[in-house]
Amino acid sequence: MTAVDTPTTSNVGTTKLRKEDAHLVTGRTQWTDNIQLTGMLHVAVVRSPMAHARVTKVDVSAALEQPGVVAAFSGADLADQWAGGLPCAWPVTEDMQSPTHLPIATDEVRHVGDAVAVVVADSRYGAADATEFIDVEYEPLTAVVDMEAALADGSPLTDTQLDTNRSFTWQKIDGDVDAAFGSAAHVVERRFINQRLIPTAIEPRAVVCAPPREHREYTMWSATQVPHILRLMLALTCGVPEHELRVIAPDVGGGFGSKLNVYAEEAICLVLAKRLGKPIKWTESRSEGYQATIHGRDQIQDVALAFNEDHTLRGMKVELHADMGAYLQLVTPGVPLLGAFMFNAIYKMDALSFTCHGVLTNKTPTDAYRGAGRPEATYAIERLMDEAANELGVEPFELRERNWIKHEEFPYTTVAGIEYDSGNYEAATAKAKELFDYDGLRAEQQRRREQGDKVQLGIGISTFTEMCGLAPSRVLGSLSYGAGGWEHASVRMLPSGKVEVITGTSPHGQGHVTSWSQIAADALGIPFEDIEVRHGDTAVAHKGMDTYGSRSLVVGGYAVQVACDKVVAKAKRVAAHLLEAAEDDLEFDAGTFQVKGSPDANTSMQDVALAIFAAHDYPEDMEPSLDSDATVDPENFSYPHGTHLCATEVDTETGAVTIRSYVAVDDVGTVINPQIVEGQVHGGLAQGIAQALYEEAVYDAEGQLKTGSLLDYFVPAAPDLPHFTTDRTETPATTNPLGVKGVGEAGTIASTPAVINAVVDALRPMGVNDVLMPASPQNVWNAIQAAAPADGGAA
Amino acid sequence: MTRVEMTVDGEPCEHEVEPRLLLVHYLRDVLEKTGTNIGCDTSNCGACTVHLDGRSVKSCTVLAVQADGSQVDTVEGLAGPSSDGDETDGWHPLQKAFHTEHGLQCGYCTPGMIMAAKDLLEENPDPDETEVREGLEGNLCRCTGYVNIVKAVRTAAAELREGASS
Amino acid sequence: MIPATFDYVRAGSIDEVVDTLKEHGDEAKLLAGGHSLLPLMKLRFAAPEVLIDLGRVEQLRGVRDLGDGRLAIGAMTRHIDVMDDPLVREHCAVLADVTAKVGDPQVRHRGTIGGALAHGDAASDLPAALAALDGTLVAQGPNGSREIAASDFFVDYLTTALEDDELVTEVRVPKIVGPWGWRYEKFTRVAQAWAIVGVLAMVKRSNGSIEEARVGLTNMATVPVRASGVEQALSGRTPDAIADAAANAADGTKPSSDLSASAEYREHLARVLTRRALEAAAR
């Protein structure tokens, strides 16, 4: 690597190799499970093997006799330790039904994996052994598994304390839907299933909690995306005052939403540290996590589009059944509601009705998984546009282009009532079609159809947008969310000219340290290498809203920019004072303040930082500090978009699907670090393709998780995924000074419908119009069989 | 308890261990060599990959007692000494290439991925894209989509070939 | 996940293994490569009281030429060493090719041929290969050793003809002599998953026709299956007969239904993959 000798203003927009990597490639990491503290005890959790049951007995006495065991508790033993149940921060309706969620169940368990007891021992192995000596008796209750049956009259209940399985029904109607559908020339209706997924961050969750030593404060290390939210919520849940709890997210090995939560084990470790006065550690095993860490997606989508005779889109109806699982976790009920703004996607229409039934079932709770509500919406609209094109007999791009918002129409207020600030769907599509050789592949497809090849070529389109940058606080308030969506940054100018940037975002693989350094380097005119970014520790970054929803750059990066701007403004006053010039006569460029027209009259940012540290000579009406804070609240969401194209080879004999090529052209606005942006797209694509082809969390009729480990839940490895061709168009956001839009979820949101559209497109001549996800060989073969003539013409 | 002796990253070590102690727990909890990670309980994810007598294995599916008398190499022993303050100087070509090609994001799978790739390149110094993908089929990454991992392995392969021929 | 405790015996010889087995009976388990047993122990689906580690029994390693047209492969020979062994590559390369599809590289570095076969899982790749090869296994117990044909060895799901006090010492396979071609079609959900269905087809060609065909099916019953109807239908025929013959590939199979595939779909796959494997093998 070459060292940068002089300040430069060209950090933003260039690939800087990541500062994060050195400790990760050499193994000098600090994952939560690496932490060993003197006297540390290990906790193991006894979990319900039943989906729904009354707990009639929990006897921990035999476990206490086991070697190394220090303590063991039932739910009842610790019931008085919780100030409240685990929190749901998003009460989407006033009458939302939410089962009481104690960290350890007392008298009723509601999903396989619900905690019923804990045992604490002096070793991992001892704690695991002792769980077998905890005697729990269950009286089985009927498990509620099917969402639609759960809402039927007389259905068994997921929670005997409630009188319904309907958590909520939430509706948003924009425009005159009846008019749109009543006068439509064509209506296209479908039911799509967006299956349940398991996020599977490769680092399992882990928690270490140390009781107070010289300070009064508890210290918790957790593999979390949200140290700040966790601190507040644990304070409210466990009766430890917020100022006496410090939460640290050390190295965190991916999250994808699964670590955007407040979990039972975090509350348990805090309460056990308090009760036993010893550091407590819990580390999840993978199969344990598959029961105890949130799942994602899981919607039944009934959707319809109304078109005019000329194929102009008039309106859309959406009715969702969204599986909440057994409890409402931190943002469980809000996830599907993000779709209320996203089903209309990039298209113009007069009316949109959105109804969502949040349904309780005896399964692991769902919550935000990469994309959270937007992948589900995008899947439905982009699948439906392909189905509509087929029914209307038009080219799928032609139908899309007829109805999408033209680039000259921005800013555009959508039918859902939000304003898309910028975008250029034409440009992204043109670039994607060229890279993909769209016309060439269509010609090949035609040839192979005519030849009746056993392996058919399919082409799938996804022209998507999403809403990122969660979120304008007032908008969140209008949606009943329990907090704001601002973000905080601090910039500390050190006397030696080095800089500390403190961010309220909490990265776990996204490269914030590098990207934030680039932003600050340009804003301050300080070398990239001279900037340190600190994060993920509530004692260091005292204020933050953490990392999820592709918000970090759009809101957190914006805060860094604003804090830097404040530093520059202060420094300019000091520089003017030192140079004996008027502030207005100074220009600031590449870290140098210079009197206009007098090249010799200048001073550097570093010199100003030293001067203000010495504080011997500075303007009388300011404090001797350049340090600045910024808390920014975005005025709008941001709206990345793009066009993704997928070519699949579908073996019509076996149902096997192979992706032959995949082109993604994304417009994420201004790019800070192209390499990091490309990496985010790649990873997102992998997870979206995984939903399309491989992954599904399956429960049986008794509520047993059949895909309980990586043996049955098929996370793709390198041979299962194709090379990705990625490119960008760049239409800057107009709602933040950086022009950025966010990229963390784009690939996931866009790719699932692109792949399924391609699979269906390959099979269309055989009469196939849909394939269940994942498009496994069995599911594809089933679709072919179902479409085949009754005489069984298929091979 | 059973006595085990082995050489880990070049250092001899010797302990009394329970026979059921997994090699990965021996490395992490007893030797405090936490560079090697655990990502699953079914031998699928490969995060715990180390070399046992020169071959890649999943250390979550080997008992420490099975490794008695063996040589164990982890990601922590890969880098050589660095020269003038730039620590990347001493890095193994795979460590360098994962860095330059952005072959990691959260970094949790990276130690196992690098150790699996090292074994692959020892068997096949010039793998094409398909061979790299198949050679890493025992390792899961949830962040990168593998494209940049493949690039990194091939970049490192080229550097290693160059080093071997010069 | 953490295994339950056990007594550990590191055996140094076959006799020591046999003595220990005799002493502990079905409370003892043999640890070969460990890639079937240790995951079960970590999930506590298996909790043997005594674990006998075969890793230091040098007699169980390596490949030798029996001199009777067969190779003998020590039970503790690791998959990677079977794949790389010069004798195997020269005389029974089909076994090396199938072995190369077992698990992933790390699994192949630890897993052993004897362990994979003695586990008796018809969803794994080697049982069908051994069946197609008409191979045998040598078992040793307190009463000496006996040779068991592959067709007799696999009894039921995870059940073999091995007695509690026996171990597999050796796997014997014929040298493949003459103009044989083969193909193992392994059909999986993802690269590292078990076969939904696997088909090993071996074809001996002679003057443009098929002198002999062998078809071994993976995961089409609780035991590996030979598609004998297909084999007989092809004897002496030209490759043109493959398509019709393969249509009977699922006859006599009893596949299970699970998350990845229904029994009906498995039967369909067996027919398609048998045709493809035979066509490739006959080329």
Side-chain angles (χ1 to χ4, degrees), chain C residues 164-182:
Chain C
D164 284 341
D165 54 6
E166 286 182 314
L167 78 154
V168 174
T169 56
E170 203 164 84
V171 177
R172 293 177 176 176
V173 291
K175 292 183 182 177
I176 302 301
V177 183
W180 284 87
W182 57 84

Side-chain angles (χ1 to χ4, degrees), chain A residues 24-54:
Chain A
L24 297 171
V25 299
T26 53
R28 297 193 313 267
T29 40
Q30 196 184 27
W31 313 107
T32 301
D33 185 64
N34 296 6
I35 294 165
Q36 300 210 31
L37 301 174
T38 305
M40 190 170 76
L41 301 174
H42 298 258
V43 61
V45 181
V46 178
R47 298 182 184 279
S48 171
M50 294 190 186
H52 195 197
R54 237 181 273 287

Side-chain angles (χ1 to χ4, degrees), chain A residues 326-340:
Chain A
Y327 299 107
L328 304 183
Q329 286 273 4
L330 191 64
V331 298
T332 302
V335 168
L337 304 193
L338 293 175

